[in-house]
Amino acid sequence: MQAAATRRRLVQALGLAALPRLGAAAAAAGRARVTLRLSHVVAQQTPKGLALEHFRERVQALSQGDIQVVIHPNSLLYGDEDEMQALQLGAVDMLAPSLSKFGPIGFPEFELFDLPFLFDDAEQVQRVKQGAVGQELLALLARQRLVGLGYLDNGFKHMSANRPLLAPEDFVGLRVRIQSSRVIAHQMRALGARPVVLSFGETRRALAARVVDGTENPISNFWTQNMHQVQTDMSLTAHGYLGYCIVVHERFWRQLAPGDRALIGQALAESLAWGSAMAQRANEQDLAALRASSATRVHELDAVQRQRLRHATRSVHEGLAARIGEEWIRRIRGAAAASV
Ligand code: LMR
């Protein structure tokens, strides 16, 4: 109920038409010359869900219905465990996985974005994505015939469990759901927790069944999966960043007519800029809703507490440097800190 009300408010505030039901989108696609099938794992009313909906609407408008985007959200068609394979096989045309999910498929450099306490704010992330490091990372995807079409923000992640997580001692012995990132696994071990890799679609159920005790999320993902019903405490650690890379397979991209490619590229560029600008607002709105629900206690950390967590996770940076080279770490830190 609460999530549905949030969704209505967001759709109104953001000026989107109502989010379509899946059947309606699929029926409309039947009349189009080109259909682009897009799958993702989060709810429609998250920053990613809304940005991709904006993309769908822009493609529809720019092509006057000639190109249709059909979106399968919320792990309904493919989840973390099989979406990449579906893209490689051509069963889906476009994905928007989190940057963390590129490590296990052969791109450990993308785990740079997972480093704890690397970024102080969203501007630093923007500088990295728009600069040479961000562009080089996209270019690496060609190694597996993927085309990286751009980045999208969600925001900063926070820690939840059935107790406050304000100091390294609080993590000891907890089983914590993580994405399939070695950097995030190292971060949890450095804090004394036991990382458990689970697909996003399984996370809420695993928390409810106490298979895991806690997790990390931007507030928008936490709220829209109703995780507040199964976690008593949210600690606003803002320890790490969660963003996405929009990818298509080279085979799909090349077989499009040049004009269609340009149109899709334009719609996507507009939607990613729109989505990244809106993400912070969506997370703030969901945090306000979370506070108002009183289902989960929300804890602020002071500077000393954050510093202790930062200190406890320092070895994670060294661990990634050993795998991908110190130079990448030096460059991403430099790019984040660079003045504009
Ligand atoms: C997660 O698995 O926690 C996130 O990557 C989900 C998402 O796509 O935001």
Side-chain angles (χ1 to χ4, degrees):
M1 280 291 274
Q2 286 160 337
T6 307
R7 165 194 163 117
R8 271 196 306 279
R9 277 200 304 276
L10 259 178
V11 166
Q12 279 163 6
L14 300 171
L16 286 174
L19 296 172
R21 288 195 317 280
L22 287 178
R31 297 189 292 274
R33 180 176 52 84
V34 175
T35 299
L36 187 159
R37 297 156 303 167
L38 203 174
S39 171
H40 68 82
V41 300
V42 294
Q44 284 177 298
Q45 67 273 28
T46 53
K48 177 160 68 182
L50 292 166
L52 295 176
E53 175 54 22
H54 188 277
F55 168 62
R56 192 191 68 74
E57 289 184 6
R58 289 303 293 142
V59 169
Q60 167 88 19
L62 289 171
S63 72
Q64 296 176 332
D66 211 21
I67 307 178
Q68 292 278 350
V69 176
V70 177
I71 303 180
H72 301 277
N74 229 353
S75 309
L76 286 175
L77 190 59
Y78 298 109
D80 287 329
E81 60 292 350
D82 52 7
E83 64 174 17
M84 258 317 160
Q85 197 185 7
L87 187 74
Q88 296 282 1
L89 293 173
V92 68
D93 306 312
M94 184 180 275
L95 299 176
S98 75
L99 299 165
S100 322
K101 289 173 187 163
F102 288 86
I105 61 162
F107 304 102
E109 299 87 348
F110 275 68
E111 291 182 35
L112 283 163
F113 287 100
D114 292 334
L115 287 171
F117 299 100
L118 174 67
F119 300 116
D120 292 328
D121 53 42
E123 283 70 42
Q124 293 193 346
V125 183
Q126 292 312 323
R127 286 206 281 276
V128 169
K129 292 190 310 191
Q130 284 159 10
V133 173
Q135 297 316 304
E136 277 173 51
L137 287 172
L138 290 185
L140 291 181
L141 295 170
R143 283 201 307 240
Q144 290 194 23
R145 301 191 60 207
L146 297 175
V147 184
L149 295 177
Y151 294 103
L152 175 66
D153 277 341
N154 188 327
F156 283 87
K157 294 177 291 183
H158 307 285
M159 300 281 193
S160 68
N162 292 318
R163 64 188 195 215
L165 297 173
L166 308 175
E169 311 77 89
D170 300 332
F171 288 82
V172 174
L174 283 187
R175 287 159 305 171
V176 181
R177 179 270 165 176
I178 61 162
Q179 306 181 72
S180 53
S181 152
R182 286 170 73 179
V183 163
I184 302 176
H186 189 168
Q187 165 197 283
M188 293 304 182
R189 280 196 300 272
L191 290 167
R194 275 192 283 156
V196 180
V197 175
L198 283 177
S199 65
F200 185 70
E202 288 173 39
T203 301
R204 187 194 180 282
R205 229 182 358 228
L207 289 167
R210 304 287 174 110
V211 172
V212 288
D213 307 303
T215 188
E216 54 162 37
N217 275 299
I219 299 293
S220 52
N221 278 356
F222 183 83
W223 177 248
T224 54
Q225 295 294 320
N226 290 321
M227 292 189 201
H228 59 286
Q229 294 167 352
V230 293
Q231 296 272 267
T232 59
D233 294 84
M234 165 61 75
S235 303
L236 298 179
T237 47
H239 60 279
Y241 165 77
L242 181 73
Y244 308 106
C245 181
I246 315 303
V247 279
V248 290
H249 194 274
E250 201 180 87
R251 182 185 50 232
F252 166 78
W253 197 236
R254 291 238 170 105
Q255 53 88 34
L256 289 172
D260 291 347
R261 237 179 354 241
L263 185 148
I264 291 168
Q266 180 191 334
L268 193 62
E270 286 175 20
S271 304
L272 297 183
W274 178 89
S276 291
M278 165 277 292
Q280 190 171 345
R281 195 151 42 103
N283 275 299
E284 282 166 6
Q285 187 164 336
D286 287 347
L287 179 58
L290 176 64
R291 287 188 199 273
S293 79
S294 316
T296 301
R297 289 184 292 266
V298 178
H299 309 278
E300 311 277 347
L301 275 79
D302 63 29
V304 175
Q305 288 169 321
R306 277 193 94 237
Q307 184 53 32
R308 285 198 65 212
L309 293 182
R310 179 194 290 265
H311 186 77
T313 55
R314 254 189 346 196
S315 64
V316 181
H317 291 232
E318 289 143 31
L320 184 62
R323 288 197 283 121
I324 66 170
E326 177 63 41
E327 183 62 9
W328 275 107
I329 315 273
R330 195 190 57 69
R331 288 185 62 208
I332 200 166
R333 284 196 188 129
S339 56
V340 268

